[in-house]
Amino acid sequence: MNDSLICTTCGTQYPPHQPLPDLCPICNDDRQYIPENGQHWTRLSALKETHRVRISPLAERIWSLKMQPDFAIANRALLVQSPGGNILWDCMPLPDDPTVAFIRSVGGLKAIAFSHPHYYTTMNEWAALFSCPIYIHQHDQPWIVYPGEAVRLWTGERYQLWDGIEVVHTGGHFPGSCVLHLPSETDRGTLLCGDSLLLSRSKRHLAVMYSYPNQILLPRNEFAAFDQRTAGLAFDNLYGAFDQQDLKGNAMTVFTTSMQRYRDNYGL
């Protein structure tokens, strides 16, 4: 285990034996924030003493991995089981022993893929534990503060994995923001969106914003690019980065009406 320092606000792990920045650049950005009590750090060894991971099923082959109690951004990582190999979509900071044992019991990991930089966290720890590559869109390379050997940068609009699973570049929240599309034999499939899209509390609207915590809208041209890249998506189910970010059955309808609302307001 690499016990280098981790930002307590976003969960990003920094390289060992290198000077720490005064402020975490992931947090010191308009898409995130430095808390009022300032910059603080912790280590994996400390998190293992104070936290655990809740593993819960979301769908037939999708599992939620969520730290308890909440830590940093409090996102969940999503484990996708597939015949060709399992995928971890986004990371959360704590790969504790029970979680690692569970993942190995269902086939391990063939790859880690990301929606955007807020969830890179301890990605190098995860990759080392499962001897797997990490797929990140090239547009988000500047936000990789700990460039490990497992990182594979990809370009273009879609990256095919296996079993019909593909990473789709959307842009929007970050230049390299992505979603993961899972095919299905019974419906239009499932979308794992991180927070490239964020579901409203009413579950009747999906938002795409430059910054969610700071409530900063996307510029008109960036929304138009997002809209164009996602125009060909078809899915019935959606799972986001947080608890209560699930839509089952009607996700495409909510997405379509939400994007039309944006078009109307942006004059597109």
Side-chain angles (χ1 to χ4, degrees):
M1 178 183 69
N2 172 14
D3 210 25
S4 59
L5 287 167
I6 294 170
C7 172
T8 60
T9 303
C10 70
T12 299
Q13 187 179 47
Y14 281 75
H17 314 304
Q18 291 188 20
L20 278 174
D22 292 333
L23 298 174
C24 169
I26 301 295
C27 294
N28 193 30
D29 172 79
D30 283 341
R31 284 162 287 208
Q32 183 57 7
Y33 58 89
I34 301 293
E36 292 184 11
N37 64 351
Q39 179 71 57
H40 295 278
W41 310 93
T42 189
R43 299 180 187 273
L44 266 179
S45 56
L47 291 178
K48 287 187 175 183
E49 295 295 324
T50 57
H51 290 70
R52 64 179 182 85
V53 177
R54 183 193 71 208
I55 303 171
S56 52
L58 294 180
E60 183 178 354
R61 55 193 180 111
I62 303 172
W63 298 83
S64 167
L65 312 178
K66 174 75 164 53
M67 287 181 67
Q68 299 288 302
D70 286 349
F71 173 73
I73 298 177
N75 69 292
R76 58 192 185 184
L78 301 183
L79 172 65
V80 178
Q81 290 181 260
S82 193
N86 298 339
I87 302 161
L88 188 66
W89 177 245
D90 290 329
C91 285
M92 52 81 187
L94 182 60
D96 63 3
D97 293 342
T99 304
V100 171
F102 171 77
I103 295 174
R104 286 179 174 155
S105 76
V106 297
L109 293 180
K110 186 174 180 178
I112 300 167
F114 281 100
S115 63
H116 72 292
H118 285 157
Y119 305 141
Y120 292 170
T121 66
T122 56
M123 62 181 182
N124 296 296
E125 299 290 326
W126 289 92
L129 284 164
F130 294 99
S131 301
C132 68
I134 298 166
Y135 293 107
I136 293 174
H137 196 277
Q138 187 175 32
H139 286 345
D140 283 343
Q141 182 180 18
W143 298 98
I144 302 173
V145 300
Y146 190 171
E149 295 180 357
V151 172
R152 308 285 185 269
L153 297 175
W154 64 278
T155 61
E157 300 307 311
R158 299 194 176 215
Y159 190 84
Q160 299 289 333
L161 294 174
W162 48 85
D163 299 335
I165 300 171
E166 62 178 359
V167 189
V168 180
H169 173 228
T170 65
H173 183 38
F174 270 79
S177 283
C178 293
V179 295
L180 188 72
H181 186 266
L182 312 176
S184 170
E185 296 180 357
T186 58
D187 56 28
R188 288 177 290 187
T190 294
L191 201 70
L192 308 187
C193 65
D195 58 3
S196 298
L197 290 161
L198 191 71
L199 181 63
S200 68
R201 291 189 179 185
S202 69
K203 297 204 171 184
R204 296 198 296 260
H205 180 70
L206 283 161
V208 52
M209 300 180 72
Y210 181 80
S211 175
Y212 299 105
N214 298 313
Q215 300 179 15
I216 303 174
L217 298 176
L218 277 179
R220 182 178 184 273
N221 65 317
E222 291 187 16
F223 170 76
F226 175 92
D227 193 34
Q228 183 179 26
R229 292 187 184 112
T230 58
L233 289 174
F235 52 93
D236 288 318
N237 310 299
L238 178 143
Y239 298 97
F242 305 101
D243 290 340
Q244 312 306 318
Q245 287 283 301
D246 307 333
L247 278 176
K248 299 180 182 180
N250 68 331
M252 192 69 200
T253 298
V254 174
F255 176 74
T256 300
T257 57
S258 299
M259 295 305 102
Q260 188 58 52
R261 177 178 290 180
Y262 276 110
R263 292 184 207 108
D264 292 344
N265 282 288
Y266 278 114
L268 295 171

